[in-house]
Amino acid sequence: MALLIQKFGGTSVGNVERIQAVAQRIASSKEEGNDLVVVVSAMGDTTDELTALAQTISSNPPQREMDMLLSTGEQVSIALLSIALDKLGVSAVSMTGTQVGIVTESAHGRARILEVKTERLKNLLNEGKVVVVAGFQGTTLSSRGTSEITTLGRGGSDTSGVALAAALGADACEIYTDVPGVLTTDPRKVPEAQLMKEISCDEMLELASLGAAVLHPRAVEIARNYGITLFVRSSWSDQPGTKLTSKSS
């Protein structure tokens, strides 16, 4: 039995059919005896659509209100995925970043994670539940000591997943996306791009500096610093994808 963190991006949960397919994948992993924390992004282009909606009202909306607005996208995803899992007979519970204990600094729109309080998570895992977590968000205390929703910036769900893996001492963090893994170059520009079966976090950070967007650099840095094994895999196949190690090759 392994403790796995599985992160599914917006494309992977872009509509009801895809959410149901993701639920099937999670159910299969649970049946294999794994303990699972699942991190999901907002559906499809929801974050862009919510941003555009705010821009129709104000060209410079307050960052606090943008965090309130954008965090709703992931709440839709986690609730629908938990409903889909329940229908498959899998006991699941959805949790926001605040509920799951992700504590961040107070910078709205680009907060960094300071701490993950794991007690509630561990209790739910011990009960055999799949915990479905809203990526991209956390909570901070304002100057008046009240709780505030924060977001982590673009690619923040990757960061949520890897931070949870580090805090829980997970066996691995699996990043599911719409590509088969880490490729030598952009397959949309170079059709003969090759899949890399294994790569170090340092090499991944170098690729990111050259424009590779498959993983957020902050997530890769956390994986490297805490020795987390990452897998980048396709949501649509059972291929092993790319393994990222914290060791230099």
Side-chain angles (χ1 to χ4, degrees):
M1 179 183 292
L3 170 57
L4 302 177
I5 312 299
Q6 298 182 336
K7 180 263 176 176
F8 293 89
T11 305
S12 302
V13 293
N15 55 43
V16 168
E17 291 75 18
R18 290 184 176 183
I19 288 172
Q20 290 170 326
V22 165
Q24 290 281 0
R25 182 183 283 274
I26 294 166
S28 296
S29 185
K30 184 65 175 174
E31 286 171 9
E32 292 169 3
N34 296 310
D35 289 329
L36 298 173
V37 176
V38 179
V39 178
V40 292
S41 300
M43 295 172 66
D45 296 323
T46 297
T47 301
D48 289 337
E49 291 166 359
L50 290 171
T51 300
L53 193 61
Q55 292 285 342
T56 64
I57 298 173
S58 170
S59 60
N60 187 31
Q63 278 295 333
R64 179 190 182 276
E65 304 311 327
M66 287 303 296
D67 278 359
M68 289 290 287
L69 176 65
L70 297 182
S71 64
T72 65
E74 281 72 22
Q75 288 183 235
V76 173
S77 298
I78 60 174
L80 290 175
L81 180 55
S82 296
I83 291 168
L85 286 166
D86 178 76
K87 188 174 182 181
L88 295 175
V90 177
S91 181
V93 57
S94 63
M95 302 185 79
T96 65
T98 299
Q99 290 171 321
V100 87
I102 295 176
V103 180
T104 76
E105 61 186 18
S106 58
H108 285 291
R110 52 180 177 81
R112 287 181 176 270
I113 296 173
L114 299 176
E115 179 187 5
V116 180
K117 297 180 179 180
T118 59
E119 182 179 1
R120 189 175 184 186
L121 257 177
K122 288 178 178 177
N123 288 339
L124 290 166
L125 290 169
N126 288 337
E127 293 171 8
K129 295 186 182 295
V130 173
V131 186
V132 183
V133 178
F136 176 66
Q137 62 183 249
T139 188
T140 190
L141 292 179
S142 72
S143 58
R144 289 175 289 183
T146 54
S147 178
E148 294 284 349
I149 293 172
T150 53
T151 63
L152 310 180
R154 287 294 181 178
S157 291
D158 288 348
T159 307
S160 300
V162 180
L164 285 166
L168 291 167
D171 295 283
C173 180
E174 301 174 339
I175 307 291
Y176 288 91
T177 182
D178 55 356
V179 294
V182 179
L183 302 170
T184 52
T185 188
D186 189 339
R188 291 165 294 188
K189 298 178 181 176
V190 184
E192 59 271 23
Q194 298 296 306
L195 175 70
M196 289 183 277
K197 292 184 179 180
E198 186 167 325
I199 185 175
S200 74
C201 287
D202 284 336
E203 290 167 331
M204 186 67 239
L205 287 169
E206 187 175 341
L207 284 176
S209 72
L210 298 173
V214 67
L215 274 176
H216 195 280
R218 196 182 303 175
V220 180
E221 288 172 355
I222 295 172
R224 179 190 62 187
N225 295 343
Y226 288 88
I228 304 300
T229 299
L230 285 178
F231 292 91
V232 180
R233 306 177 61 185
S234 170
S235 297
W236 322 124
S237 78
D238 293 322
Q239 297 302 309
T242 300
K243 179 180 180 180
L244 276 77
T245 66
S246 56
K247 300 175 183 177
S248 297
S249 58

